Amino acid sequence: MLLLTVVAIVFVAALVHSTLGFGTALVAMPLLVTVLDVDVATPLVGLTMLTTIALLLVGSWRNLDVRSALHLLAASLPGIPLGLLILRFAPDGVFKAGLGILLIAVGLYYLRTSVLPRLEHIGWAHVFGFVSGVLGGAYNVNAAPMAVYGILRRWPPEHFKATLQGYFLPSTLLIVASHGLAGLWTGDVFGFYLPAVPAVILAVVLGRFIGARIAPDRFRSVLYTALLALGVMLLVSPLLAAVD
């Protein structure tokens, strides 16, 4: 039953990621830590995310905006140390609640007006990339700024998803390698990961099928709804921790 539960969680996380272009860690991690130890769940999520990203890029690399992905990645690197400082010194609940409120506000504003500025200058990639690095270094929520940036660039869905994978791939490779060097790759991790690989492949196929049938305007609404849900989760998580 434990193996089936883990595979089901991985499948749902990979399905969300392949449909929207992000979401593996955001969906899988909170669920997996309820059934697995953190030192098993963390490398399992890293391997799952890397597999999902690689499979998505195999089928969509021609839609990748290499220039934007490189600018985003370069700008995110100096933000990671700042994020680590925030993680160490800033109140966890306050920071997460503030970020949650911001995401909720952005999501509600878009869903209410459906009119947002269009970003053309590549300099904006440096702003969003840096913020992504900060949030990634602090709480592994680097996907949110990338999603907002892609929407404001008015990228078509396939272009949006491919470019995000181009940004995520190098950082995920580093994360997975660091897990291996830290000795987190254990028999338990691969005992869950290997049986989950067919589920990830199926999820990517289904996610691409679903995503291809979402109209561009509707796709943006789905993305902002996902950001709204993420904001609610970040806002509620400190309260749940306090109750525990």
Side-chain angles (χ1 to χ4, degrees):
M1 283 300 297
L2 176 59
L3 178 59
L4 290 176
T5 300
V6 170
V7 170
I9 292 172
V10 167
F11 173 80
V12 172
L15 180 63
V16 171
H17 190 129
S18 55
T19 301
L20 301 180
F22 65 97
T24 295
L26 296 172
V27 173
M29 200 64 191
L31 297 175
L32 285 176
V33 294
T34 64
V35 296
L36 298 176
D37 292 337
V38 173
D39 58 355
V40 175
T42 299
L44 176 60
V45 169
L47 289 167
T48 299
M49 187 159 54
L50 181 61
T51 304
T52 304
I53 291 168
L55 289 172
L56 286 173
L57 277 176
V58 166
S60 62
W61 62 270
R62 293 181 181 83
N63 296 309
L64 171 61
D65 185 337
V66 176
R67 181 168 176 254
S68 291
L70 290 176
H71 278 276
L72 290 167
L73 181 63
S76 71
L77 295 179
I80 294 173
L82 179 57
L84 294 173
L85 289 175
I86 292 174
L87 177 63
R88 181 173 181 182
F89 296 109
D92 179 79
V94 173
F95 186 87
K96 284 187 176 180
L99 177 59
I101 292 171
L102 178 62
L103 291 178
I104 291 171
V106 171
L108 289 177
Y109 178 80
Y110 175 80
L111 293 175
R112 180 180 176 85
T113 66
S114 296
V115 178
L116 289 171
R118 179 169 185 154
L119 302 182
E120 298 289 351
H121 197 280
I122 194 63
W124 283 107
H126 301 155
V127 176
F128 282 86
F130 179 77
V131 173
S132 177
V134 172
L135 297 181
Y139 298 113
N140 284 323
V141 287
N142 59 337
M146 295 298 98
V148 174
Y149 177 73
I151 295 169
L152 295 180
R153 285 294 305 273
R154 301 297 195 272
W155 284 334
E158 285 304 313
H159 191 159
F160 173 93
K161 287 183 279 189
T163 303
L164 258 64
Q165 307 324 301
Y167 166 76
F168 290 142
L169 181 61
S171 59
T172 305
L173 279 169
L174 289 174
I175 290 171
V176 170
S178 68
H179 291 163
L181 293 173
L184 294 178
W185 288 357
T186 64
D188 288 340
V189 172
F190 284 97
F192 290 115
Y193 169 68
L194 293 177
V197 169
V200 173
I201 296 173
L202 177 60
V204 170
V205 173
L206 288 176
R208 289 182 63 84
F209 178 83
I210 295 170
R213 280 152 183 77
I214 302 176
D217 289 341
R218 182 62 178 170
F219 184 75
R220 286 194 290 270
S221 297
V222 171
L223 288 177
Y224 271 102
T225 301
L227 291 177
L228 181 61
L230 173 59
V232 172
M233 183 178 69
L234 288 171
L235 186 61
V236 171
S237 61
L239 301 177
L240 294 177
V243 171
D244 292 340

